[in-house]
Amino acid sequence: MKALVFDLDGTLIHSAPDIHAAANRMLDALDRPTLTLEQVISFIGAGVPKLVERALTATGGADEAATEDALGRFNAFYQADPSTLTRPYPGVEPLLSALAAAGVPLGICTNKPQAFTETILDDLKLRSRFTSVVGGDRLGVRKPDPAPLRLCFEELSVAPKDGLYIGDSETDEATAQALGAPFAFFSGGYRKKAPEAFEARLRFDDFASLRRELAPLLGDLRAD
């Protein structure tokens, strides 16, 4: 593999607790019942507008105008506090360090808005690891449309078939398939279907395992 592109939420970082907190602040401001963390995790994956729409549907529904108002509230709450509870998954930082040492170009392709993505990567001191970062609003479409992932590989100067897209969800699987890019599946994220139902070049349960899987392809990345 000549380059690796990662999904963000549920793949590199466990961001659901901060998303959950912002969603519940939004709902509380609208005098609606709050949601459990598990409910909010089930809404992650198709971008912030869809998450807000799902949260409103779960708490009584809303028309278009009310949904737009709720989206603005969510964005304000999340922008004010996007990373207090968010952490990289165990093993992510050593893997990224090893990949950087091996000279492997890295990217992120996520449905999270660009500004939130950049802020969180900066807060977690991960931004410098990535040559390309494509958020959900850089183009007019989001995953599973293949255009964002295609752009990411273009910015890494690698053909999709020569790279690897790493994700945790059905959306990521479908995006890789639509582009013809090899897919690696992380079972510890925010998926909805059973792990064995995913079609993937590689499967891994933790990032130490991914590091071992990548070693034959990318040089000496054996776990310490």
Side-chain angles (χ1 to χ4, degrees):
M1 301 297 171
K2 296 181 179 179
L4 302 182
V5 176
F6 295 86
D7 173 53
L8 187 61
D9 297 301
T11 299
L12 282 180
I13 61 172
H14 182 39
S15 54
D18 280 312
I19 296 171
H20 176 235
N24 277 346
R25 290 186 187 113
M26 173 196 76
L27 293 168
D28 188 60
L30 297 172
D31 294 322
R32 290 177 177 241
T34 55
L35 300 168
T36 67
L37 177 61
E38 290 72 21
Q39 285 176 298
V40 171
I41 286 174
S42 75
F43 299 157
I44 294 172
V48 170
K50 181 59 69 172
L51 182 145
V52 169
E53 178 186 316
R54 289 167 174 166
L56 294 176
T57 298
T59 57
D63 61 21
E64 184 175 348
T67 300
E68 284 299 313
D69 173 67
L71 177 60
R73 292 173 186 266
F74 175 89
N75 285 336
F77 287 127
Y78 194 50
Q79 184 175 20
D81 195 7
S83 60
T84 297
L85 303 174
T86 295
R87 296 292 181 270
Y89 283 105
V92 163
E93 290 166 297
L95 173 63
L96 295 179
S97 295
L99 292 168
V104 179
L106 301 177
I108 286 177
C109 182
T110 174
N111 278 340
K112 185 185 288 294
Q114 190 78 24
F116 293 157
T117 299
E118 298 280 358
T119 296
I120 291 168
L121 290 174
D122 284 340
D123 289 348
L124 298 179
K125 297 180 170 50
L126 297 176
R127 181 61 180 88
S128 64
R129 299 296 192 189
F130 300 98
T131 301
S132 173
V133 175
V134 178
D137 52 358
R138 273 194 65 183
L139 301 175
V141 294
R142 298 183 179 89
K143 301 180 298 181
D145 190 293
L149 184 57
R150 181 184 296 113
L151 174 61
C152 198
F153 278 117
E154 287 175 355
E155 292 183 344
L156 297 175
S157 300
V158 171
K161 66 182 178 61
D162 295 325
L164 183 68
Y165 183 48
I166 301 165
D168 68 300
S169 72
E170 295 83 353
T171 297
D172 299 320
E173 176 190 38
T175 305
Q177 289 174 344
L179 189 60
F183 178 60
F185 168 63
F186 173 48
S187 66
Y190 305 153
R191 60 179 168 78
K192 297 172 179 62
K193 66 183 182 182
E196 58 271 18
F198 283 83
E199 296 181 17
R201 177 77 60 88
L202 297 175
R203 300 169 181 273
F204 64 101
D205 300 323
D206 58 70
F207 281 85
S209 298
L210 178 61
R211 190 174 174 184
R212 289 191 293 271
E213 291 280 357
L214 292 175
L217 301 173
L218 301 172
D220 186 8
L221 302 181
R222 291 188 299 271
D224 296 331

